[in-house]
Amino acid sequence: MPKRGGFFLVCTRPQTRLWLLVAAGTILMPFISGCGSHYVLLHPAGPVARRELDLTVYAAVTMAVIVAFVIALLILTLIRYRDRPNNPHAYTPEWHDHRLMESLWLIIPAVVLAAVAIPTVKTTYALARLPKGSHPLVIDVTSLNWKWMFEYPDQHIATVNYIEIPTRRPVLFELTADSPMNAFWIPELGGMEYTMSGRVLPLWLEADRQGLFWGRSAQFSGIDFEKMLFHVRAVSTPSFNAWTAHIRHSKPAMTLDTYHRLLRFNTVGVEEYSSYPRSAFPSTTHGFGLSGGMYPVMSNHPQKN
Amino acid sequence: MSFMAVYLFYLYMIHTLFPENVRQPTELGADVMIIGAGIIIVSVLTRYKKWRWLWSEWLTTVDHKKIGVLYLISALAMLFRGGVDALMLRTNLALPNIQPIGANEYNEVFTTHGTIMIFFMAMPFIFALFNAVVPLMIGARDVAFPRLNAISYWLFAFGALLLNISFVLGGSPNAGWTAYAPFTERAFTPGVGENYYFMSLLIAGIGTTMTGINFLVTIIRMRAPGMTFMRMPLFVWTTLTTSALIIFAFPPLTVALALTLIDRLFHASFFTLGHGGMPMMYVNLFWLFGHPEVYIVVMPAFGIFSEVVATFSGKQLFGYTAMVLSVVAIMLFAYGTWVHHFFTMGAGPSVNVFFGLSTMLIAIPTGVKIFNWIFTMWGGRIRMTVAMLYQIAFIPTFAIGGATGVMFAVVPVDYQLHNGYFLIAHFHNVLIGGTLFGLLSGMHYWWPKMFGFSLNERLGKFAFWLFFIGFWITFTPQYMLGFEGMTRRLYTYPLGYGWHMLNVISTLGAFTMGAGFVVLVYDIVWSLFKMPRDATGDPWNGRTLEWALPSPVPEYNFARVPVVTSRDMFWWMKRHHATIADQLKPNDIRELELPKNSPVPFILGLGFFIFGFGMVFEWWLLAFLGLAIIIGSLIYTGFDYDEHKQVSAEEIRHIEQSLGRLQG
Ligand code: HEM
Ligand SMILES: [Cu+2]
């Protein structure tokens, strides 16, 4: 991403630029630090994050219109009706009622909010389901104190604090915890979802360009929560397959002992395992079923009991 | 010398009693300050022989006006404490990887910051203004249950003390103001810290619930003749709706806190990881309280602004009926939106959409109010007093805060922005721009009524500009940090994310607001000594009944309860050249029965404190002692029929005459 000056909202897709320029002047103050790629939310790397960004921009602009109107009206009122000698504007101390205007105040916000509400409903449902006919890569995610454990049930490998995913293929994350709650978040790929013990929550994301992205926990979980960081490398399908094969052949197996070591309250670096004990995924250890049912793919999930 | 000796003794005690707590230099510094201040206060009181005065005039008072003053002093003290916390947090984040305070202390500080600001700053500040003016506005002699009112205050005060003492003794709570289970279970947060949080909020929460009941009953039952519901000032309306919210919102909180405490102290498993516990239920219960709570703290500000804007525009409130309907609508809707705090906990799209839309719905009445405030000014004569400046600053600030709130109601947007700095900026936008600006506006507005002199306008304006500018310098970068992916509750961050620039700016803004607070305190102290007494009782050309009374208001409020014939009754009286004094004939004055001071509320509060302290440390004997005091004082007050004192007509006539409010 080239660095550019101007208003920070300007650095996104060309289609939205015009809208953004309108918004920038009204809601956000002058840009301070250039628009580098560290504005991760403005540089989506996949369809989920992109839809979320589009909706964010749309909602922001819509709200900015009404906020700008309110501010302009306020300024006008202050200029006209300040208490100063010989103010030419009429003083009407008893004027306190106007049916039509009051209905207008009701209608304007209602219309604006309806304009926000409709795409909200659409996008919420759209993002809750995997795209039709897709064959997602499943990754089981467990948050531990203070690390992330990933299991690839189809590839039978496991990793800690690092994953690789193929581009242009949806990834279904099944999230749970063997720790207090955390929130699993890879900003460049899309929004977050909580990890909770005893429940398995689904979240699908997809990368449509190769790259290295960071993810972290967004829910405070204790002293080393700040270090609950992991990296995601999105690569082409052949290199993804090569990577899994490499791990399967050259890395040690995860045993239950290894898992218990991971359960300790500490932080670790990146780890890779050629296999893992099935019971390590807490949904099966504690006997919880998968919640929801929005995901057709779950019925043939290998770990479903 | 003696100071040093006391301090050394204290250190010795701490180390023998709580050996596991390692003391940090910053904590020691704070301890020295707190204990030093305590010693100074005690010696001044002793030196000037003020103990008896303190006890009989303040600690045992049941007069709503004095209780209001007590609340206000406590709230300002807590604003100081919470503000210092905020500066510590911002200092730690100013640059990447600097750590003036470490991870654990940072966690303690953001937890106490949030808890104190919401429960021990905003709530008592609101109750300060309720107590100071609501009975006066409706023409009442007191609140419905004066002794209960005092009990509410002392439960709040001792609850606050219990939380603050954790800082002196070491081991403050460190799980955030939301205290999500299962993190707060013993397995993950051992030690006494979280016990303080649960116990102090339980104690203060009982007081708050009783305040809600008290003001609800007061407004329904104690209005002067002719003060119909649709003639009540808007601040009274918002007090009514706020009280109703309190009554129904605090029970879920109490349940959530009590169950977690039972988990912690008695090894139950309501919210634990295993044994069938359901941590998610805590989150549900917490926000079932938490969302109404945000309206509990902002609705009084709506009421304050409605009074302030009418007075300083010299004009009737525009759209009174719509204003009333919208606060009632907000009150009702406030119960139907709580799930928007956990869209990302997997409730499914249908539930999320429902709560997203209900959240947007609540923005409509809020929008109505904003337009009505502006149109109250339209056609008026706007006087730029400090109270009015806060009002004017509030409108755009709150509009933006509301707009970002609506963005959070858009579920897919929330997925990206939840728990990041955009969220932090949103709720500070509404809490500072709405609640705090409202409370400061109300404080400047009613200060002369409470204390009999105004605050200095010039100093007040200076403080205002520091707050207002500082606010935007602090929080605009935080909105942007949300887009850079910075998550909340991080105690530090590495250089690589590019977060440092905006964080530096934000910290500078925070210190600007800190300077604003210093000027505000200077303003109060300066005005205390230098401002002239307000002889008229009506310094702002007010509209509602409280301004018809002398300042400060005599203990019995109204020598004769007024008959209300109009909205903005005092304004109407002034227009028709009628004053309360005109109406008051010596023969109208009757003997009055007033509530009598009582030591019970203070002792009851102390009992709760001892009980709470015992529970926190699991010193059961102490807890039983506290429980005995609580039950004892409840039984005592149950059989205490000597609750009233008589004030003779002669005495009242004398007071009114000396105030120049009686003819003949
Ligand atoms: C138009 C009005 C408002 C709307 C639509 C709105 C919406 C929201 C939403 C959806 C959230 C949850 C965001 C998340 O956790 O991801 C939120 C958080 C919050 N809001 Fe608002 N809000 C509004 C007004 C207010 C007001 C008036 C206050 C307080 C005075 C307030 C205080 C808060 C607080 C404290 C949080 C965060 C709590 C936490 O996680 O610690 N909001 N708001
Ligand atoms: Cu809410």
Side-chain angles (χ1 to χ4, degrees), chain A residues 38 81 83 89 91-92 125 185 192-194 197 218-219, chain B residues 273 314 319 344 346 350 379 381-382 415-416 418-419 484 575:
Chain A
H38 50 249
Y81 295 104
D83 187 20
H89 300 284
Y91 176 44
T92 50
Y125 277 101
W185 189 34
M192 66 188 75
E193 188 78 43
Y194 274 74
S197 63
Q219 171 63 32
Chain B
L273 272 189
T344 51
S350 301
R381 284 291 175 268
I382 303 168
Y415 266 62
Q416 277 286 31
H418 178 65
N419 267 2
E484 292 191 326
R575 294 219 127 192

PDB file of all heavy atoms in Angstrom, chain A residues 38 81 83 89 91-92 125 185 192-194 197 218-219, chain B residues 273 314 319 344 346 350 379 381-382 415-416 418-419 484 575:
ATOM      1  N   HIS A  38      -0.981   0.232   8.368  1.00  0.00           N
ATOM      2  CA  HIS A  38      -1.318  -0.204   9.730  1.00  0.00           C
ATOM      3  C   HIS A  38      -2.764   0.089  10.079  1.00  0.00           C
ATOM      4  O   HIS A  38      -3.235  -0.306  11.125  1.00  0.00           O
ATOM      5  CB  HIS A  38      -0.363   0.408  10.748  1.00  0.00           C
ATOM      6  CG  HIS A  38      -0.187   1.872  10.613  1.00  0.00           C
ATOM      7  ND1 HIS A  38       0.988   2.435  10.188  1.00  0.00           N
ATOM      8  CD2 HIS A  38      -1.045   2.877  10.835  1.00  0.00           C
ATOM      9  CE1 HIS A  38       0.848   3.739  10.152  1.00  0.00           C
ATOM     10  NE2 HIS A  38      -0.370   4.041  10.537  1.00  0.00           N
ATOM     11  N   TYR A  81     -29.208  33.677  17.724  1.00  0.00           N
ATOM     12  CA  TYR A  81     -29.949  33.976  18.945  1.00  0.00           C
ATOM     13  C   TYR A  81     -29.078  34.184  20.166  1.00  0.00           C
ATOM     14  O   TYR A  81     -29.546  34.052  21.279  1.00  0.00           O
ATOM     15  CB  TYR A  81     -30.990  32.881  19.182  1.00  0.00           C
ATOM     16  CG  TYR A  81     -32.024  32.884  18.101  1.00  0.00           C
ATOM     17  CD1 TYR A  81     -32.026  31.933  17.102  1.00  0.00           C
ATOM     18  CD2 TYR A  81     -32.970  33.899  18.050  1.00  0.00           C
ATOM     19  CE1 TYR A  81     -32.954  31.959  16.092  1.00  0.00           C
ATOM     20  CE2 TYR A  81     -33.902  33.938  17.038  1.00  0.00           C
ATOM     21  CZ  TYR A  81     -33.895  32.970  16.059  1.00  0.00           C
ATOM     22  OH  TYR A  81     -34.818  33.026  15.057  1.00  0.00           O
ATOM     23  N   ASP A  83     -27.496  36.168  23.052  1.00  0.00           N
ATOM     24  CA  ASP A  83     -28.019  37.320  23.763  1.00  0.00           C
ATOM     25  C   ASP A  83     -27.037  38.473  23.620  1.00  0.00           C
ATOM     26  O   ASP A  83     -26.035  38.550  24.313  1.00  0.00           O
ATOM     27  CB  ASP A  83     -28.182  36.952  25.243  1.00  0.00           C
ATOM     28  CG  ASP A  83     -28.888  38.059  25.995  1.00  0.00           C
ATOM     29  OD1 ASP A  83     -29.559  38.878  25.339  1.00  0.00           O
ATOM     30  OD2 ASP A  83     -28.759  38.090  27.231  1.00  0.00           O
ATOM     31  N   HIS A  89     -33.036  39.429  15.504  1.00  0.00           N
ATOM     32  CA  HIS A  89     -33.916  38.274  15.353  1.00  0.00           C
ATOM     33  C   HIS A  89     -34.941  38.223  16.469  1.00  0.00           C
ATOM     34  O   HIS A  89     -34.640  38.483  17.616  1.00  0.00           O
ATOM     35  CB  HIS A  89     -33.083  37.001  15.305  1.00  0.00           C
ATOM     36  CG  HIS A  89     -32.109  37.000  14.170  1.00  0.00           C
ATOM     37  ND1 HIS A  89     -32.484  36.771  12.875  1.00  0.00           N
ATOM     38  CD2 HIS A  89     -30.790  37.270  14.142  1.00  0.00           C
ATOM     39  CE1 HIS A  89     -31.426  36.874  12.091  1.00  0.00           C
ATOM     40  NE2 HIS A  89     -30.386  37.173  12.828  1.00  0.00           N
ATOM     41  N   TYR A  91     -37.397  37.607  19.401  1.00  0.00           N
ATOM     42  CA  TYR A  91     -37.365  36.856  20.652  1.00  0.00           C
ATOM     43  C   TYR A  91     -38.775  36.349  20.935  1.00  0.00           C
ATOM     44  O   TYR A  91     -39.704  37.136  21.070  1.00  0.00           O
ATOM     45  CB  TYR A  91     -36.867  37.774  21.768  1.00  0.00           C
ATOM     46  CG  TYR A  91     -36.861  37.163  23.147  1.00  0.00           C
ATOM     47  CD1 TYR A  91     -36.394  35.867  23.365  1.00  0.00           C
ATOM     48  CD2 TYR A  91     -37.312  37.890  24.253  1.00  0.00           C
ATOM     49  CE1 TYR A  91     -36.378  35.326  24.632  1.00  0.00           C
ATOM     50  CE2 TYR A  91     -37.300  37.353  25.529  1.00  0.00           C
ATOM     51  CZ  TYR A  91     -36.831  36.073  25.714  1.00  0.00           C
ATOM     52  OH  TYR A  91     -36.814  35.522  26.969  1.00  0.00           O
ATOM     53  N   THR A  92     -38.932  35.017  20.967  1.00  0.00           N
ATOM     54  CA  THR A  92     -40.279  34.453  21.114  1.00  0.00           C
ATOM     55  C   THR A  92     -40.322  33.518  22.318  1.00  0.00           C
ATOM     56  O   THR A  92     -40.333  32.298  22.162  1.00  0.00           O
ATOM     57  CB  THR A  92     -40.672  33.650  19.863  1.00  0.00           C
ATOM     58  OG1 THR A  92     -39.587  32.742  19.568  1.00  0.00           O
ATOM     59  CG2 THR A  92     -40.906  34.548  18.684  1.00  0.00           C
ATOM     60  N   TYR A 125     -27.167 -11.652   7.943  1.00  0.00           N
ATOM     61  CA  TYR A 125     -27.515 -13.010   7.529  1.00  0.00           C
ATOM     62  C   TYR A 125     -26.497 -13.556   6.534  1.00  0.00           C
ATOM     63  O   TYR A 125     -26.104 -14.722   6.593  1.00  0.00           O
ATOM     64  CB  TYR A 125     -28.925 -13.050   6.936  1.00  0.00           C
ATOM     65  CG  TYR A 125     -29.977 -13.147   8.000  1.00  0.00           C
ATOM     66  CD1 TYR A 125     -30.702 -12.034   8.394  1.00  0.00           C
ATOM     67  CD2 TYR A 125     -30.216 -14.364   8.637  1.00  0.00           C
ATOM     68  CE1 TYR A 125     -31.661 -12.125   9.398  1.00  0.00           C
ATOM     69  CE2 TYR A 125     -31.174 -14.468   9.632  1.00  0.00           C
ATOM     70  CZ  TYR A 125     -31.895 -13.344  10.006  1.00  0.00           C
ATOM     71  OH  TYR A 125     -32.818 -13.442  10.997  1.00  0.00           O
ATOM     72  N   TRP A 185      -9.639 -12.858  16.739  1.00  0.00           N
ATOM     73  CA  TRP A 185      -9.786 -11.739  15.802  1.00  0.00           C
ATOM     74  C   TRP A 185      -8.604 -11.638  14.857  1.00  0.00           C
ATOM     75  O   TRP A 185      -7.458 -11.550  15.297  1.00  0.00           O
ATOM     76  CB  TRP A 185      -9.929 -10.421  16.589  1.00  0.00           C
ATOM     77  CG  TRP A 185     -10.303  -9.241  15.746  1.00  0.00           C
ATOM     78  CD1 TRP A 185     -11.097  -9.251  14.658  1.00  0.00           C
ATOM     79  CD2 TRP A 185      -9.904  -7.878  15.942  1.00  0.00           C
ATOM     80  NE1 TRP A 185     -11.237  -7.976  14.167  1.00  0.00           N
ATOM     81  CE2 TRP A 185     -10.515  -7.121  14.928  1.00  0.00           C
ATOM     82  CE3 TRP A 185      -9.099  -7.227  16.882  1.00  0.00           C
ATOM     83  CZ2 TRP A 185     -10.341  -5.746  14.811  1.00  0.00           C
ATOM     84  CZ3 TRP A 185      -8.931  -5.863  16.782  1.00  0.00           C
ATOM     85  CH2 TRP A 185      -9.551  -5.129  15.763  1.00  0.00           C
ATOM     86  N   MET A 192     -14.585 -10.498  14.750  1.00  0.00           N
ATOM     87  CA  MET A 192     -14.185 -11.448  15.786  1.00  0.00           C
ATOM     88  C   MET A 192     -15.346 -12.303  16.263  1.00  0.00           C
ATOM     89  O   MET A 192     -16.504 -12.075  15.942  1.00  0.00           O
ATOM     90  CB  MET A 192     -13.615 -10.677  16.962  1.00  0.00           C
ATOM     91  CG  MET A 192     -14.651  -9.829  17.658  1.00  0.00           C
ATOM     92  SD  MET A 192     -13.934  -8.759  18.906  1.00  0.00           S
ATOM     93  CE  MET A 192     -13.155  -7.487  17.935  1.00  0.00           C
ATOM     94  N   GLU A 193     -15.001 -13.294  17.061  1.00  0.00           N
ATOM     95  CA  GLU A 193     -16.001 -14.116  17.743  1.00  0.00           C
ATOM     96  C   GLU A 193     -15.349 -14.582  19.043  1.00  0.00           C
ATOM     97  O   GLU A 193     -14.140 -14.789  19.091  1.00  0.00           O
ATOM     98  CB  GLU A 193     -16.382 -15.299  16.848  1.00  0.00           C
ATOM     99  CG  GLU A 193     -17.536 -16.139  17.322  1.00  0.00           C
ATOM    100  CD  GLU A 193     -18.905 -15.523  17.055  1.00  0.00           C
ATOM    101  OE1 GLU A 193     -19.127 -14.981  15.955  1.00  0.00           O
ATOM    102  OE2 GLU A 193     -19.758 -15.581  17.956  1.00  0.00           O
ATOM    103  N   TYR A 194     -16.175 -14.748  20.077  1.00  0.00           N
ATOM    104  CA  TYR A 194     -15.618 -15.156  21.372  1.00  0.00           C
ATOM    105  C   TYR A 194     -15.242 -16.632  21.379  1.00  0.00           C
ATOM    106  O   TYR A 194     -15.831 -17.439  20.653  1.00  0.00           O
ATOM    107  CB  TYR A 194     -16.630 -14.911  22.493  1.00  0.00           C
ATOM    108  CG  TYR A 194     -16.565 -13.505  23.036  1.00  0.00           C
ATOM    109  CD1 TYR A 194     -17.068 -12.452  22.286  1.00  0.00           C
ATOM    110  CD2 TYR A 194     -15.988 -13.226  24.262  1.00  0.00           C
ATOM    111  CE1 TYR A 194     -17.005 -11.154  22.754  1.00  0.00           C
ATOM    112  CE2 TYR A 194     -15.927 -11.928  24.742  1.00  0.00           C
ATOM    113  CZ  TYR A 194     -16.428 -10.897  23.994  1.00  0.00           C
ATOM    114  OH  TYR A 194     -16.356  -9.627  24.448  1.00  0.00           O
ATOM    115  N   SER A 197     -15.403 -21.654  26.957  1.00  0.00           N
ATOM    116  CA  SER A 197     -15.351 -23.065  27.308  1.00  0.00           C
ATOM    117  C   SER A 197     -16.767 -23.614  27.301  1.00  0.00           C
ATOM    118  O   SER A 197     -17.717 -22.908  27.617  1.00  0.00           O
ATOM    119  CB  SER A 197     -14.750 -23.234  28.694  1.00  0.00           C
ATOM    120  OG  SER A 197     -15.597 -22.612  29.617  1.00  0.00           O
ATOM    121  N   ALA A 218      -9.175 -10.257  21.572  1.00  0.00           N
ATOM    122  CA  ALA A 218      -9.752  -8.950  21.844  1.00  0.00           C
ATOM    123  C   ALA A 218     -10.490  -8.940  23.175  1.00  0.00           C
ATOM    124  O   ALA A 218     -11.109  -7.958  23.522  1.00  0.00           O
ATOM    125  CB  ALA A 218     -10.707  -8.552  20.719  1.00  0.00           C
ATOM    126  N   GLN A 219     -10.448 -10.038  23.900  1.00  0.00           N
ATOM    127  CA  GLN A 219     -11.128 -10.047  25.201  1.00  0.00           C
ATOM    128  C   GLN A 219     -10.107 -10.304  26.289  1.00  0.00           C
ATOM    129  O   GLN A 219      -9.445 -11.340  26.303  1.00  0.00           O
ATOM    130  CB  GLN A 219     -12.238 -11.104  25.218  1.00  0.00           C
ATOM    131  CG  GLN A 219     -12.868 -11.361  26.578  1.00  0.00           C
ATOM    132  CD  GLN A 219     -13.589 -10.149  27.155  1.00  0.00           C
ATOM    133  OE1 GLN A 219     -14.143  -9.342  26.432  1.00  0.00           O
ATOM    134  NE2 GLN A 219     -13.551 -10.010  28.471  1.00  0.00           N
TER     135      GLN A 219
ATOM    136  N   LEU B 273     -15.813 -23.051  34.951  1.00  0.00           N
ATOM    137  CA  LEU B 273     -15.557 -23.739  33.688  1.00  0.00           C
ATOM    138  C   LEU B 273     -16.214 -25.112  33.645  1.00  0.00           C
ATOM    139  O   LEU B 273     -16.938 -25.436  32.735  1.00  0.00           O
ATOM    140  CB  LEU B 273     -14.048 -23.914  33.497  1.00  0.00           C
ATOM    141  CG  LEU B 273     -13.316 -22.783  32.815  1.00  0.00           C
ATOM    142  CD1 LEU B 273     -11.894 -23.197  32.512  1.00  0.00           C
ATOM    143  CD2 LEU B 273     -14.021 -22.394  31.548  1.00  0.00           C
ATOM    144  N   GLY B 314     -33.907  31.754  27.934  1.00  0.00           N
ATOM    145  CA  GLY B 314     -35.028  32.581  28.329  1.00  0.00           C
ATOM    146  C   GLY B 314     -36.301  32.185  27.601  1.00  0.00           C
ATOM    147  O   GLY B 314     -37.076  33.036  27.167  1.00  0.00           O
ATOM    148  N   GLY B 319     -41.319  21.594  22.673  1.00  0.00           N
ATOM    149  CA  GLY B 319     -41.818  20.220  22.539  1.00  0.00           C
ATOM    150  C   GLY B 319     -41.821  19.441  23.837  1.00  0.00           C
ATOM    151  O   GLY B 319     -41.359  18.301  23.879  1.00  0.00           O
ATOM    152  N   THR B 344     -20.945 -10.820  19.453  1.00  0.00           N
ATOM    153  CA  THR B 344     -19.932 -11.775  19.002  1.00  0.00           C
ATOM    154  C   THR B 344     -19.835 -12.978  19.936  1.00  0.00           C
ATOM    155  O   THR B 344     -18.790 -13.588  20.059  1.00  0.00           O
ATOM    156  CB  THR B 344     -18.566 -11.089  18.908  1.00  0.00           C
ATOM    157  OG1 THR B 344     -18.332 -10.429  20.147  1.00  0.00           O
ATOM    158  CG2 THR B 344     -18.530 -10.085  17.790  1.00  0.00           C
ATOM    159  N   GLY B 346     -22.067 -15.493  19.615  1.00  0.00           N
ATOM    160  CA  GLY B 346     -22.661 -16.633  18.945  1.00  0.00           C
ATOM    161  C   GLY B 346     -24.130 -16.875  19.192  1.00  0.00           C
ATOM    162  O   GLY B 346     -24.568 -18.016  19.219  1.00  0.00           O
ATOM    163  N   SER B 350     -30.359 -14.204  13.835  1.00  0.00           N
ATOM    164  CA  SER B 350     -31.694 -13.679  14.111  1.00  0.00           C
ATOM    165  C   SER B 350     -31.716 -12.891  15.409  1.00  0.00           C
ATOM    166  O   SER B 350     -32.257 -11.789  15.482  1.00  0.00           O
ATOM    167  CB  SER B 350     -32.708 -14.807  14.164  1.00  0.00           C
ATOM    168  OG  SER B 350     -32.698 -15.489  12.938  1.00  0.00           O
ATOM    169  N   GLY B 379     -35.011  31.281  18.627  1.00  0.00           N
ATOM    170  CA  GLY B 379     -35.991  32.284  19.055  1.00  0.00           C
ATOM    171  C   GLY B 379     -35.783  32.711  20.488  1.00  0.00           C
ATOM    172  O   GLY B 379     -36.603  33.428  21.056  1.00  0.00           O
ATOM    173  N   ARG B 381     -32.856  33.987  23.727  1.00  0.00           N
ATOM    174  CA  ARG B 381     -31.724  34.886  23.910  1.00  0.00           C
ATOM    175  C   ARG B 381     -30.690  34.094  24.698  1.00  0.00           C
ATOM    176  O   ARG B 381     -30.803  33.952  25.919  1.00  0.00           O
ATOM    177  CB  ARG B 381     -32.147  36.143  24.692  1.00  0.00           C
ATOM    178  CG  ARG B 381     -32.932  37.132  23.863  1.00  0.00           C
ATOM    179  CD  ARG B 381     -32.037  37.790  22.809  1.00  0.00           C
ATOM    180  NE  ARG B 381     -32.796  38.674  21.914  1.00  0.00           N
ATOM    181  CZ  ARG B 381     -33.330  38.261  20.759  1.00  0.00           C
ATOM    182  NH1 ARG B 381     -33.200  37.024  20.375  1.00  0.00           N
ATOM    183  NH2 ARG B 381     -33.978  39.109  20.004  1.00  0.00           N
ATOM    184  N   ILE B 382     -29.675  33.558  23.992  1.00  0.00           N
ATOM    185  CA  ILE B 382     -28.790  32.568  24.594  1.00  0.00           C
ATOM    186  C   ILE B 382     -27.694  33.251  25.408  1.00  0.00           C
ATOM    187  O   ILE B 382     -26.898  34.011  24.868  1.00  0.00           O
ATOM    188  CB  ILE B 382     -28.169  31.678  23.503  1.00  0.00           C
ATOM    189  CG1 ILE B 382     -29.288  31.030  22.695  1.00  0.00           C
ATOM    190  CG2 ILE B 382     -27.271  30.633  24.118  1.00  0.00           C
ATOM    191  CD1 ILE B 382     -28.814  30.373  21.418  1.00  0.00           C
ATOM    192  N   TYR B 415     -18.761  -6.552  14.707  1.00  0.00           N
ATOM    193  CA  TYR B 415     -17.811  -7.672  14.662  1.00  0.00           C
ATOM    194  C   TYR B 415     -16.375  -7.174  14.534  1.00  0.00           C
ATOM    195  O   TYR B 415     -15.456  -7.764  15.073  1.00  0.00           O
ATOM    196  CB  TYR B 415     -18.145  -8.604  13.483  1.00  0.00           C
ATOM    197  CG  TYR B 415     -19.031  -9.747  13.892  1.00  0.00           C
ATOM    198  CD1 TYR B 415     -20.298  -9.503  14.387  1.00  0.00           C
ATOM    199  CD2 TYR B 415     -18.578 -11.053  13.805  1.00  0.00           C
ATOM    200  CE1 TYR B 415     -21.102 -10.553  14.782  1.00  0.00           C
ATOM    201  CE2 TYR B 415     -19.385 -12.103  14.203  1.00  0.00           C
ATOM    202  CZ  TYR B 415     -20.640 -11.855  14.689  1.00  0.00           C
ATOM    203  OH  TYR B 415     -21.429 -12.893  15.090  1.00  0.00           O
ATOM    204  N   GLN B 416     -16.185  -6.098  13.803  1.00  0.00           N
ATOM    205  CA  GLN B 416     -14.825  -5.575  13.633  1.00  0.00           C
ATOM    206  C   GLN B 416     -14.422  -4.604  14.744  1.00  0.00           C
ATOM    207  O   GLN B 416     -13.257  -4.497  15.081  1.00  0.00           O
ATOM    208  CB  GLN B 416     -14.693  -4.852  12.285  1.00  0.00           C
ATOM    209  CG  GLN B 416     -14.427  -5.751  11.093  1.00  0.00           C
ATOM    210  CD  GLN B 416     -13.009  -6.284  11.053  1.00  0.00           C
ATOM    211  OE1 GLN B 416     -12.362  -6.508  12.069  1.00  0.00           O
ATOM    212  NE2 GLN B 416     -12.507  -6.498   9.849  1.00  0.00           N
ATOM    213  N   HIS B 418     -15.815  -4.206  17.931  1.00  0.00           N
ATOM    214  CA  HIS B 418     -16.032  -4.585  19.320  1.00  0.00           C
ATOM    215  C   HIS B 418     -14.708  -4.723  20.065  1.00  0.00           C
ATOM    216  O   HIS B 418     -13.716  -5.180  19.517  1.00  0.00           O
ATOM    217  CB  HIS B 418     -16.793  -5.913  19.347  1.00  0.00           C
ATOM    218  CG  HIS B 418     -17.033  -6.448  20.719  1.00  0.00           C
ATOM    219  ND1 HIS B 418     -17.819  -5.805  21.633  1.00  0.00           N
ATOM    220  CD2 HIS B 418     -16.579  -7.554  21.338  1.00  0.00           C
ATOM    221  CE1 HIS B 418     -17.829  -6.493  22.762  1.00  0.00           C
ATOM    222  NE2 HIS B 418     -17.087  -7.567  22.603  1.00  0.00           N
ATOM    223  N   ASN B 419     -14.735  -4.292  21.336  1.00  0.00           N
ATOM    224  CA  ASN B 419     -13.566  -4.447  22.210  1.00  0.00           C
ATOM    225  C   ASN B 419     -12.288  -3.796  21.700  1.00  0.00           C
ATOM    226  O   ASN B 419     -11.199  -4.156  22.124  1.00  0.00           O
ATOM    227  CB  ASN B 419     -13.294  -5.918  22.497  1.00  0.00           C
ATOM    228  CG  ASN B 419     -13.987  -6.358  23.772  1.00  0.00           C
ATOM    229  OD1 ASN B 419     -14.688  -5.557  24.390  1.00  0.00           O
ATOM    230  ND2 ASN B 419     -13.800  -7.581  24.171  1.00  0.00           N
ATOM    231  N   GLU B 484      -6.950   0.940  13.483  1.00  0.00           N
ATOM    232  CA  GLU B 484      -5.618   0.331  13.399  1.00  0.00           C
ATOM    233  C   GLU B 484      -5.576  -1.001  14.137  1.00  0.00           C
ATOM    234  O   GLU B 484      -4.515  -1.606  14.247  1.00  0.00           O
ATOM    235  CB  GLU B 484      -4.572   1.282  13.992  1.00  0.00           C
ATOM    236  CG  GLU B 484      -4.387   2.523  13.158  1.00  0.00           C
ATOM    237  CD  GLU B 484      -3.178   3.332  13.582  1.00  0.00           C
ATOM    238  OE1 GLU B 484      -2.852   3.379  14.789  1.00  0.00           O
ATOM    239  OE2 GLU B 484      -2.553   3.925  12.710  1.00  0.00           O
ATOM    240  N   ARG B 575     -43.728  36.609  35.890  1.00  0.00           N
ATOM    241  CA  ARG B 575     -44.448  37.350  34.856  1.00  0.00           C
ATOM    242  C   ARG B 575     -45.675  38.047  35.431  1.00  0.00           C
ATOM    243  O   ARG B 575     -46.084  39.087  34.952  1.00  0.00           O
ATOM    244  CB  ARG B 575     -44.909  36.398  33.759  1.00  0.00           C
ATOM    245  CG  ARG B 575     -43.772  35.796  33.002  1.00  0.00           C
ATOM    246  CD  ARG B 575     -44.137  35.707  31.550  1.00  0.00           C
ATOM    247  NE  ARG B 575     -43.090  36.349  30.775  1.00  0.00           N
ATOM    248  CZ  ARG B 575     -43.210  36.650  29.494  1.00  0.00           C
ATOM    249  NH1 ARG B 575     -44.354  36.405  28.870  1.00  0.00           N
ATOM    250  NH2 ARG B 575     -42.223  37.233  28.850  1.00  0.00           N
TER     251      ARG B 575
END
